[in-house]
Amino acid sequence: MPTRPSIVKPKGSEERALLEYLEGIGAHRERGWAFHFHLSKLGTHSRGENLIYALGRIRSLAEGLLGRVFVLGSSDLVVVCKTVRLPAIKEEIRKIQYLFRDDPLIQLGSLGDADFCTIVNLTESFAEFLGLVRSLAAGASSPGAGPAPAAAGEGATLDLVQFAAIAGRLAASDLSWAVRFQPVYAVDEDMTLTRQFEELYVSIGDLERIVAPGRRLAADRWLFQHLTKTLDRQMLALLTSGKGVSLAAEALQSRFLRSGRFSLNLNVSTVLSPDFQAFEAGLDEAVRRSVVIELHKIDVFADLGSYLFVRDYAYQRGYRICLDGLSHVSLPFIDIGALAVDLLKLLWTPAMAIDVSSAERAVLQERIAQAGPQRLIVCHCDSDDAIAWGRGLGISLFQGRRLDAIAAERVAPAVIEVGPAAGILSA
């Protein structure tokens, strides 16, 4: 059986690619400019959210200059381009540096503009910069350079270079093999299950086993948030009519684009993207009105203004909104009325059955009553305790393996109904 090729670039490959690029333009009279962003000088606490934002801004900068970005093993970035307007570029660099305004190095003045990004005129200072890159390439390729990779199975985190390599590979892949769907059921007092809709999602566990064995893609919350945007685009591509690249993708389209009644986990920004517009162009209005868009609370509260805009857009188009990622601790602190969502997902954990005191339970029950128990979904239900806990608070919607097991045991069509969602998702 052939060995699956690694999607992580070999150590030092970006340094060598940069060196080859420079050697290729060495004979030119006008060699352009290089911008060396010294992100490795920043404190370790700046390596998460802001670093991935900076990467996006720098990539956008490079695209505007028709340039190329090299992500070095140290986490430094180098942009090489032919022509620039220096005043405008310097202003953009200052905006990128402002992302790290809370870093102690910048606050103390140890990391000035020049230290944050070295600007090199390759026509005038080519030899010096070429020598620097040669030393970087030699150091990155030498035995023992850099930290040793963690052994498979240790659940190690990925560095920025590895993460960028994985995201790039996934962006060019058909991920139909990793798509799963799980129903949300309405459960009545007699434990009769009525299927409301099916959530479509990419199995992160399967991705980890195939593209990052022994590593945890979600170990860094902000890097993972960036990765989910790539997964959004790939999921929408699979569901965009006429763009199926495999039999599995065609089967997904046939099953869900005709009948609807499914939900998608998306980022707020994805809903306004060209990918989403292409996806919804193939949806009949009746199907669109049965589709639920699930937005995670972290993404929503990161930019409430964007969320409100997306929410209004979604409602105008007929979609329903579900706020995902809630817990029994966070729910009482959320102004559900202001967010104006149709559904809310409450993550079940076994500790909820024993940790909620009488006072906390009273507050929780009050907020559930205010939100409308019929709009809450208890998810990750792996036991009967989860169902009993939710039913005790007036909740009737559940999702999880325990529900799937019960449904599998009851094969009679009269028990498992696939039909209108008891008014919850009606047009």
Side-chain angles (χ1 to χ4, degrees), residues 12-34:
S13 63
E14 286 286 273
E15 286 82 357
R16 289 194 296 274
L18 175 57
L19 178 59
E20 291 172 1
Y21 181 93
L22 292 175
E23 290 174 340
I25 65 172
H28 297 178
R29 290 184 58 187
E30 298 293 332
R31 304 186 185 99
W33 296 78

Side-chain angles (χ1 to χ4, degrees), residues 166-223:
I166 287 175
R169 179 64 177 268
L170 292 179
S173 301
D174 176 352
L175 296 184
S176 55
W177 56 270
V179 173
R180 302 290 180 268
F181 34 89
Q182 186 174 51
V184 171
Y185 296 97
V187 181
D188 66 14
E189 295 178 356
D190 299 326
M191 285 298 293
T192 299
L193 309 186
T194 305
R195 190 177 301 189
Q196 305 295 287
F197 58 89
E198 292 186 89
E199 176 189 355
L200 275 72
Y201 62 95
V202 174
S203 170
I204 302 303
D206 286 344
L207 286 184
E208 288 175 341
R209 283 191 290 274
I210 299 300
V211 305
R215 308 298 180 97
R216 291 186 58 240
L217 293 177
D220 186 305
R221 184 181 69 183
W222 296 108
L223 286 177

Side-chain angles (χ1 to χ4, degrees), residues 5-17 59 68-73 159-166 168-169 211:
S6 172
I7 69 170
V8 178
K9 294 180 180 179
K11 185 186 297 181
S13 63
E14 286 286 273
E15 286 82 357
R16 289 194 296 274
R59 287 193 185 281
R68 182 172 172 183
V69 179
F70 299 87
V71 184
L72 307 186
D159 62 30
L160 181 62
V161 177
Q162 294 169 326
F163 209 97
I166 287 175
R169 179 64 177 268
V211 305

Side-chain angles (χ1 to χ4, degrees), residues 113-124:
D113 291 348
D115 291 325
F116 178 74
C117 179
T118 301
I119 300 176
V120 182
N121 184 331
L122 293 177
T123 301
E124 299 177 356

Side-chain angles (χ1 to χ4, degrees), residues 295-356:
L295 304 173
H296 198 279
K297 72 174 190 296
I298 292 177
D299 193 32
V300 167
F301 291 116
D303 189 346
L304 273 173
S306 294
Y307 160 72
L308 294 174
F309 187 86
V310 164
R311 180 201 65 190
D312 293 344
Y313 168 82
Y315 285 164
Q316 290 172 5
R317 302 294 294 160
Y319 300 102
R320 300 298 191 265
I321 297 291
C322 176
L323 183 63
D324 194 8
L326 300 177
S327 70
H328 68 289
V329 176
S330 62
L331 180 62
F333 296 96
I334 293 176
D335 189 343
I336 298 170
L339 293 177
V341 294
D342 297 280
L343 299 165
L344 304 104
K345 268 195 175 179
L346 194 61
L347 175 64
W348 162 260
T349 63
M352 290 163 62
I354 57 177
D355 284 356
V356 180

